[in-house]
Amino acid sequence: MTGRPATPPRLRVLAVDDEPPALDELLYLLRNDPRVEYVHSAADAAEALRVLHENDVDVAFLDIRMPGLDGMDLARVLQRFARSPAVVFVTAYDDRAADAFDLGVVDYVRKPVRAERIAESLRRVLSERAAVEDRPAAPPEATPAGGDPMIPVELGGVVRLLPRSSVCWVEAQGDYARLHTTDGSHLVRVSLTQLEERWTDAGFLRIHRSYLVRLDLVTELRLTGSGYVVSVGGHQLPVARRHTRVLKDRLIRPAKQHWG
């Protein structure tokens, strides 16, 4: 007896646009695609963040030019989520395409939107998700004679060995981790918790549920209105309150003792 065919995955979608007619048209097209499970909507970035706080979303369709935070700003915020949704820009302008793809968006759709073009965007989202899920789990790092473990990362079918010493900080992305280096980033199939356990003795410290940093590359610890942030490799990363004391003990106390 043959088993039932696997149910195709369906997507949870957020559509964001400050122009009601454009938003209504986008919602209509998304809701009529069988690959979409349900669609949330928002008229600006602030409302979008409230929706995302309460709901899991697989992909966000964002207008770029909006009051307050624009679509580019919102996409950068979404990248900081522990489970960041895929992003598709839907815009009347083509002058931001290069910036958009620098952010790693899945697609860039020109208005007025058409059913076949939205269908292609959804196909790309599902294809990218399937490619990530099909990647083999990252094996333990190989440690060469020099003592610097090598991490196998895959890009375009080519496996590259990345030295752990090149990693500045790590960002959680669901069951995956994104390794940030001075010249780019790489997604590996290993959880942040697993890397925390493996790399603590190598000078990496968990500062947030979504971030693991290499302590010797931290150049600044600063108090802001929303809490502490650290600067690592030119990026500012938030420090969760429950990790602040350990971070100060590991970062500041040794420096004071050295200079004292």
Side-chain angles (χ1 to χ4, degrees):
M1 185 175 75
T2 59
R4 293 181 180 179
T7 303
R10 301 183 72 201
L11 296 169
R12 297 161 294 185
V13 181
L14 170 64
V16 187
D17 199 312
D18 64 313
E19 298 179 354
L23 181 59
D24 289 344
E25 179 66 15
L26 180 57
L27 291 173
Y28 173 80
L29 295 175
L30 289 167
R31 288 170 177 158
N32 279 277
D33 193 295
R35 293 165 295 183
V36 173
E37 183 176 350
Y38 58 78
V39 187
H40 298 285
S41 64
D44 55 35
E47 186 179 356
L49 291 172
R50 288 194 292 271
V51 171
L52 290 165
H53 180 71
E54 298 173 356
N55 302 276
D56 289 329
V57 169
D58 299 307
V59 54
F61 284 75
L62 309 179
D63 185 25
I64 289 184
R65 298 194 179 182
M66 297 186 293
L69 287 178
D70 67 12
M72 301 289 287
D73 295 327
L74 180 55
R76 293 186 183 96
V77 173
L78 298 187
Q79 288 181 332
R80 301 170 72 94
F81 279 37
R83 185 183 180 278
S84 57
V87 171
V88 174
F89 281 129
V90 182
T91 178
Y93 307 93
D94 58 8
D95 58 343
R96 305 298 297 277
D99 294 335
F101 285 109
D102 283 343
L103 289 175
V105 303
V106 175
D107 205 359
Y108 190 96
V109 179
R110 287 287 308 277
K111 294 179 181 178
V113 293
R114 306 185 312 276
E116 60 270 22
R117 191 64 186 83
I118 295 300
E120 171 61 17
S121 293
L122 293 170
R123 185 199 66 77
R124 294 185 185 187
V125 171
L126 287 168
S127 177
E128 181 174 279
R129 189 167 76 166
V132 170
E133 291 174 350
D134 288 343
R135 286 177 183 166
E141 301 101 357
T143 304
D148 190 4
M150 306 298 287
I151 307 154
V153 296
E154 184 177 350
L155 181 64
V158 177
V159 177
R160 174 185 169 194
L161 294 178
L162 185 74
R164 185 175 63 189
S165 60
S166 68
V167 179
C168 303
W169 52 285
V170 187
E171 179 181 8
Q173 292 193 342
D175 295 330
Y176 296 79
R178 183 168 294 280
L179 310 179
H180 292 267
T181 69
T182 55
D183 60 355
S185 68
H186 307 273
L187 195 65
V188 293
R189 193 172 183 179
V190 61
S191 71
L192 198 66
T193 298
Q194 289 174 302
L195 284 184
E196 179 185 9
E197 294 171 354
R198 292 185 193 178
W199 291 6
T200 294
D201 292 341
F204 285 81
L205 182 69
R206 186 77 167 260
I207 62 167
H208 187 277
R209 66 178 183 177
S210 300
Y211 299 108
L212 184 70
V213 301
R214 189 172 141 193
L215 281 175
D216 64 344
L217 296 181
V218 174
T219 57
E220 183 181 66
L221 174 64
R222 182 160 53 89
L223 182 62
T224 69
S226 57
Y228 280 96
V229 297
V230 294
S231 295
V232 185
H235 295 267
Q236 289 192 342
L237 306 177
V239 180
R241 182 173 299 176
R242 67 189 184 94
H243 293 292
T244 301
R245 180 179 295 276
V246 175
L247 175 62
K248 287 182 175 179
D249 287 344
R250 294 281 303 276
L251 188 66
I252 298 175
R253 183 175 297 175
K256 285 184 175 180
Q257 290 175 345
H258 174 75
W259 285 105

